[in-house]
Amino acid sequence: MNDTYYEFGTAADRWDRARMFFEAKEYLTAARILGGLVEEAPEQVAPRLLLARAYYHSARLGKAETELRAVLQRDPVEHYARLMLGRTLERQGRQEEATSHLRMAAAMSGDFGEDMGS
């Protein structure tokens, strides 16, 4: 892949650019930029979480799952990552595994709806 203008600049520039592409629903471009940011600073949760979202929205579910599990390994109580992992697993047809993550996400957010017992 050839380097393009949006892969250059400071980390802050690239973060802003990645968010702009994500908001424009250019998920593959956002993922390309975010991948570099995650590689440079793997301990930061926000770029990895946005990368997972970009993968999810571009139907790269295996990659989304990998990034979400990495987020949860660093921050096990990251509610949104837990929710996204559940949704990602659902889209992969892994309902039983998804249910446990969705229940944990609901419990973390304080959402104890009627479906929690099912």
Side-chain angles (χ1 to χ4, degrees):
M1 232 184 251
N2 294 333
D3 287 337
T4 54
Y5 82 93
Y6 47 77
E7 294 171 315
F8 293 102
T10 66
D13 291 338
R14 288 178 286 137
W15 170 248
D16 289 342
R17 209 170 291 127
R19 290 187 343 197
M20 179 191 70
F21 279 107
F22 184 87
E23 289 169 9
K25 298 183 181 182
E26 294 287 337
Y27 302 119
L28 294 176
T29 303
R32 185 171 172 187
I33 298 166
L34 290 162
L37 289 171
V38 166
E39 204 172 283
E40 290 173 27
E43 72 285 353
Q44 292 188 0
V45 171
R48 192 177 293 273
L49 190 54
L50 190 58
L51 176 58
R53 292 176 63 199
Y55 284 149
Y56 178 87
H57 287 297
S58 61
R60 298 164 77 186
L61 302 177
K63 289 184 175 222
E65 179 183 351
T66 298
E67 295 303 327
L68 291 165
R69 289 189 187 280
V71 168
L72 291 170
Q73 188 172 35
R74 292 177 186 344
D75 187 357
V77 295
E78 169 54 58
H79 160 262
Y80 190 70
R82 186 76 58 189
L83 175 66
M84 275 195 63
L85 180 57
R87 297 289 181 229
T88 299
L89 294 168
E90 277 183 332
R91 282 185 68 185
Q92 293 178 71
R94 296 161 58 191
Q95 187 60 47
E96 187 174 323
E97 193 177 354
T99 298
S100 66
H101 290 286
L102 294 172
R103 284 183 178 166
M104 280 190 271
M108 286 181 208
S109 72
D111 180 13
F112 300 105
E114 292 180 27
D115 62 340
M116 287 296 295
S118 55

